[in-house]
Amino acid sequence: MQRLLYRRLRRAGRAHPLDAVLVELMAATSACSRGRAGWWDPRTVRAVRTRLAVATAAAGDITAVRRRTSVTELAARRRAQRFHTALAQLVRRHDRALTQVRTAGEYDAVTASLRAGVLALVAGDAEALMQHSAAEPPTSRTARLLHRTACSLVLAAFALAISLLPGVDQSTGAGVRILLLMTAAVALTPADSSSSGSVRSALERSLFTKDTP
C-alpha cells in the first residue's frame, strides 16, 4: 500500500481531492496492523480512532468541489455532498466497530475492511469504495438490555389489562395473565429465540391443555 501511495503522490501536482482521506485511512490501517498483538488494549484503539476522526473530517470536506463549481450548480454540489457524507459515515462505521470489538477476529475484520478501503481509494474506484463496508458492529449490551426491558414492560402491561377486556372469563384471563407475565420474565433473559419459544410452548401446554376434555 505504501508503494501504491508513493506512486500516486510522487509527482508534483498529482494531488487528488480524496488524498487527505487516503493518507489518514492509510495511517489508521497501519496503526491497526501494528496494534494487532494488543488489540484489546484501549491505547491501541485510541491510536486508530484518532486517525479515523481526522479521516472522517476530511471525508466530509467538499471544498474541492465548491472550487470547481459555481453557486448556480446546485445539483453537482448536492451530489458531491451526498457522496462525501456517505464516505464520512463509512469511516465512522469503522470507528464504531473498533469501540465494540470483543474478539481478535472482529479486530482483524475491521483491519481488513480498512485495508480494502485504502486499496479502493488508491485505485480511484469510488464505486467499489462505497460498496465496501465493515460488518455492522455488534449491538451494545446496554441497547440489548433496553430492548428486552421494553418488550417485558409491554407484555406486563397487557397482562394487567387482560382482565379489563370484554368477554374474557376469569379462568381464561388468569391463564393468559400468567402466560404473559412468564413470557415477560423470559424476555429479560439473554436466551435465544428458539429457547424462548420452547418455554412459551411449555407454558401454554401446562396452562391450557389441562382444561381440554
Side-chain angles (χ1 to χ4, degrees):
M1 286 191 293
Q2 288 175 338
R3 288 195 296 270
L4 288 170
L5 183 61
Y6 175 72
R7 287 202 298 269
R8 178 185 173 106
L9 302 177
R10 64 183 172 179
R11 296 181 185 176
R14 289 288 300 277
H16 294 71
L18 295 177
D19 281 349
V21 184
L22 173 59
V23 169
E24 293 303 327
L25 282 182
M26 179 103 176
T29 305
S30 177
C32 254
S33 297
R34 290 196 311 270
R36 173 60 173 78
W39 65 267
W40 43 266
D41 192 333
R43 290 173 296 182
T44 299
V45 175
R46 283 199 299 268
V48 181
R49 294 190 69 202
T50 298
R51 291 293 191 174
L52 288 178
V54 180
T56 301
D61 184 10
I62 62 168
T63 302
V65 178
R66 290 184 181 277
R67 288 174 179 171
R68 296 172 179 176
T69 57
S70 68
V71 293
T72 60
E73 296 177 285
L74 297 179
R77 291 190 174 189
R78 280 197 294 267
R79 284 195 300 272
Q81 185 66 64
R82 285 195 297 269
F83 171 79
H84 282 265
T85 299
L87 180 57
Q89 290 173 348
L90 179 61
V91 178
R92 205 174 288 118
R93 189 152 60 244
H94 287 74
D95 179 78
R96 288 197 304 269
L98 266 179
T99 65
Q100 298 178 36
V101 290
R102 298 166 297 181
T103 65
E106 290 180 355
Y107 183 90
D108 290 341
V110 176
T111 305
S113 184
L114 287 171
R115 185 181 297 113
V118 168
L119 293 175
L121 270 174
V122 169
D125 192 343
E127 183 178 352
L129 174 66
M130 298 313 298
Q131 288 176 349
H132 162 76
S133 92
E136 289 295 322
T139 306
S140 68
R141 293 182 180 179
T142 302
R144 290 195 298 268
L145 178 60
L146 289 175
H147 177 72
R148 292 198 301 265
T149 302
C151 291
S152 296
L153 289 176
V154 171
L155 290 169
F158 276 115
L160 295 176
I162 193 68
S163 60
L164 302 178
L165 297 177
V168 177
D169 59 49
Q170 185 175 358
S171 176
T172 302
V176 173
R177 185 180 300 108
I178 293 173
L179 177 62
L180 288 174
L181 290 175
M182 293 300 295
T183 304
V186 171
L188 285 173
T189 67
D192 58 28
S193 58
S194 61
S195 299
S196 300
S198 299
V199 172
R200 286 194 297 270
S201 297
L203 285 171
E204 290 171 357
R205 287 195 299 270
S206 65
L207 288 172
F208 300 115
T209 57
K210 65 183 180 180
D211 296 329
T212 304

